[in-house]
Amino acid sequence: MALLPPEFIRILISSVLIVSFVFLNAMILVYIERKVAGHIQRRPGPMEVGPHGILQTLIDGLKLMGKQIIFPDNIDKPLFCIAPLLAFVPAVVAFVVIPFSPKLQAVDLDMGIIFILALASLNVLAILLAGWSSNNKYSLIGAMRSVAQNIAYEIPMLLSLLAVLFMTNSLSMKSIVEAQKPLWFIVVQPVAFLIYFIASLAETNRAPFDLPEAESELTAGFHTEYGGMAYGLFYLGEYANMVMVGAITTTFFLGGWSGPPLPYMEYSGAFWFLAKVYFIVFSMIWFRWTFPRVRFDQLMNFCWKIMVPFGLVNLMITALVLKI
Amino acid sequence: MADPVLPYQFVSEIFFCGFVVLALSGGIIAVSARYLLHALLGLVVTLFGVAGLYLYLGSFFISLMQVLIYVGAICVTIVFAIMLTETPDQVKENHKSGLRSFLAAGAGLAALSCAFQFIYLTEWQPALSRTDDFSIIAVGKRLLTEYCLVFEMISLVLLFAIIGSIILARGGRGN
Amino acid sequence: MIKYFKDIFLGAQSLLVGLWVTIGYMFKPIVTVQYPREKNKIPPAYRGHLEFTRDPETGGSRCVVCLRCVQSCPSKCISIDWEIKGEKRKRILKSYVQDFTRCSQCGLCVEACELGAIRFSNEYELVGFAKEDFYFNLVKMLEKR
């Protein structure tokens, strides 16, 4: 045991917990998404497997695992295999720095948010590889749309996060939460919050910005050719990203784990954290089932003509106020 | 286990070798690939190797920035440019002529010998003996004071990349 | 410049209205029918395949084999088989088969039947693997009912 320091064991345990959290969370989110979609359209959603269909996603997951992964002709096989892994692994690893509560955080990196952003930027590459290697026009168009969209929306997203980072003077997720002890940043930086939220919808390819996988035009976009667990990994990655967006929004704007005191606040702060995260995720689902998909030119106009100028002005005002 | 530090040093050296192999193999992929996109993915692998080397040197920030900017932004932009210009069907057309590959090899060797000259002339110090402050503040201050010229040179390289991609895109459309 | 801000404001406003509508719908009761569990009530005028009405005295069908339904059917999809029995040489119904694959539910047979022996059923859950599954023998169906 001399080779295994306690720190190593701690990281091992926390990564197992994180992976299980991601899987469990994807299951819950798929269920929530289908239920919310159903009720918004005044139908009950899944009802058959288990009481009120709560076991539906479990069964779906088992089905996906049991399915064969089909490799179409003339694909670029190595890239075709790497792409789902590249979509899934970074999305999970990024959870390492999320502060669920004061003591529930795998690692508190000095530059937690940059760590998350660096890993999130790999998502685009995964989508691109998936689209290109599938040798399918729908996949390729989906991938190209995704790249254009992600590059464009990364700018307002970073601008809005930067405005908050100016105020905290730290890139560590934990200290960002602690800086919000007196006042949540959503009150101080409402514009940044809105910009971040909208940009993150585009970054995660969620409606109304779901052009990369627009099912009515591109069948399924970049993951058209994927089946079985390869498709499942894309799906897991997408839901992991949704929670990641919720977690970043909570950490940056909604005060992280802070909330009415509970017993053992050091750990039970995770309850408030998750409540806020799931509220954000719920609103993402709510958005999806409310708004129609934007057109591509609208998407780009919205980013470059509204989000970027507002982000820049917001950043400048923040800097001015902080310096004066 | 007499010396508790020794095994860790061994592990870290394995990591160092792994990153070097990653960087070099990425370079080989980039040079020998048939598709332009495979070449680019070789570049991505190389950049990951370099990011790993920064990590080995203890500068977590730079290594993350390497991934965020080079892999996440620049490579993706290059891929975008490639997708605008080339489809897999067109690959058969750009066969390599003898003269062109000879010139390319010559240019590469010249650049390499230049680089080796510089490497040879420079007096190398271990990173830790120059500074042990790898914080973001220190990096920022140095970038905007001591290494300002280098910083600007990098942006010049990016400008070349943009111009090159525009030329490729326009040529590809037959204009 | 004023238009720019006005557009943003109006856009945001319309988005909020949309969100308000959907969240309202989310808490309204469900309007869909959970088909295999719940079924809609079939309106009385629904035209399914033919069935016999039951004669309360005999418990059998009212059909006297007058063959008016067969004659009235434009698609010739009704075929009746009978035997002659007894002193009065009465026709006794043996089988009454409706070929539902050809029937267009025009209802002429039901109108033609003066005794009201046949009517449209409310059966709409029909499924079969062969054409023959839709040759309905009304006599047997009445016995089963």
Side-chain angles (χ1 to χ4, degrees), chain A residues 39 42 44 48 286 290 305, chain C residues 4 19 22 25 29 31 34 37:
Chain A
H39 281 278
R42 300 189 70 181
E48 294 299 320
W286 181 17
T290 304
K305 289 188 184 166
Chain C
Y4 174 79
L19 285 174
T22 46
Y25 267 72
V31 290
Q34 304 308 301
R37 310 259 179 281

Side-chain angles (χ1 to χ4, degrees), chain B residues 2-86:
Chain B
D3 187 1
V5 183
L6 211 65
Y8 296 125
Q9 204 175 1
F10 180 64
V11 167
S12 75
E13 266 160 19
I14 287 178
F15 268 101
F16 174 76
C17 293
F19 289 137
V20 170
V21 168
L22 202 66
L24 286 179
S25 60
I28 291 168
I29 294 173
V31 175
S32 60
R34 247 177 84 238
Y35 295 110
L36 209 46
L37 197 82
H38 285 183
L40 185 85
L41 291 170
L43 181 64
V44 169
V45 173
T46 306
L47 291 173
F48 267 114
V50 174
L53 286 180
Y54 286 134
L55 201 63
Y56 175 80
L57 289 176
S59 182
F60 198 46
F61 176 70
I62 305 272
S63 109
L64 282 180
M65 275 301 171
Q66 179 83 7
V67 174
L68 177 64
I69 296 174
Y70 281 91
V71 179
I74 291 181
C75 280
V76 167
T77 322
I78 296 175
V79 175
F80 205 52
I82 291 174
M83 282 190 175
L84 287 175
T85 56
E86 190 175 346

Side-chain angles (χ1 to χ4, degrees), chain C:
Chain C
M1 201 61 196
I2 293 168
K3 191 177 171 293
Y4 174 79
F5 286 107
K6 203 178 161 193
D7 279 353
I8 292 174
F9 179 74
L10 287 177
Q13 200 185 19
S14 69
L15 291 180
L16 288 178
V17 169
L19 285 174
W20 181 246
V21 169
T22 46
I23 199 79
Y25 267 72
M26 199 175 137
F27 294 107
K28 281 183 187 170
I30 286 153
V31 290
T32 52
V33 176
Q34 304 308 301
Y35 164 62
R37 310 259 179 281
E38 302 165 28
K39 286 173 186 175
N40 274 331
K41 205 169 173 292
I42 300 301
Y46 180 79
R47 294 180 171 189
H49 60 75
L50 291 179
E51 66 178 9
F52 277 142
T53 53
R54 196 182 290 277
D55 187 352
E57 287 168 24
T58 63
S61 78
R62 289 196 177 100
C63 181
V64 294
V65 201
C66 63
L67 299 182
R68 284 192 192 178
C69 48
V70 178
Q71 282 161 9
S72 70
C73 183
S75 344
K76 303 270 174 272
C77 61
I78 301 172
S79 46
I80 300 183
D81 193 16
W82 69 91
E83 59 187 0
I84 295 171
K85 257 192 188 169
E87 290 167 15
K88 290 181 180 173
R89 302 191 63 75
K90 209 176 156 187
R91 287 175 177 175
I92 305 293
L93 187 67
K94 268 172 73 184
S95 77
Y96 188 112
V97 176
Q98 180 202 11
D99 179 0
F100 197 55
T101 60
R102 283 192 291 165
C103 178
S104 57
Q105 285 99 334
C106 66
L108 289 176
C109 48
V110 178
E111 273 176 45
C113 190
E114 288 183 1
L115 297 166
I118 50 175
R119 66 173 182 214
F120 287 118
S121 71
N122 282 347
E123 184 58 49
Y124 59 94
E125 293 167 305
L126 295 171
V127 62
F129 290 104
K131 196 166 74 175
E132 288 73 27
D133 293 345
F134 298 100
Y135 297 168
F136 297 118
N137 191 330
L138 270 59
V139 180
K140 280 186 188 157
M141 287 166 80
L142 185 68
E143 281 164 8
K144 271 189 203 160
R145 224 171 43 221

Side-chain angles (χ1 to χ4, degrees), chain B residues 70-141:
Chain B
Y70 281 91
V71 179
I74 291 181
C75 280
V76 167
T77 322
I78 296 175
V79 175
F80 205 52
I82 291 174
M83 282 190 175
L84 287 175
T85 56
E86 190 175 346
T87 58
D89 306 331
Q90 287 174 352
V91 169
K92 289 171 203 137
E93 294 164 23
N94 24 345
H95 47 83
K96 289 165 187 158
S97 72
L99 182 69
R100 281 177 80 181
S101 52
F102 180 73
L103 282 177
L109 275 179
L112 197 66
S113 58
C114 268
F116 264 118
Q117 202 67 37
F118 280 118
I119 291 168
Y120 188 69
L121 287 176
T122 313
E123 208 170 299
W124 294 98
Q125 290 172 321
L128 273 175
S129 70
R130 298 165 95 181
T131 177
D132 54 354
D133 187 7
F134 291 115
S135 68
I136 305 161
I137 296 166
V139 171
K141 272 188 182 151

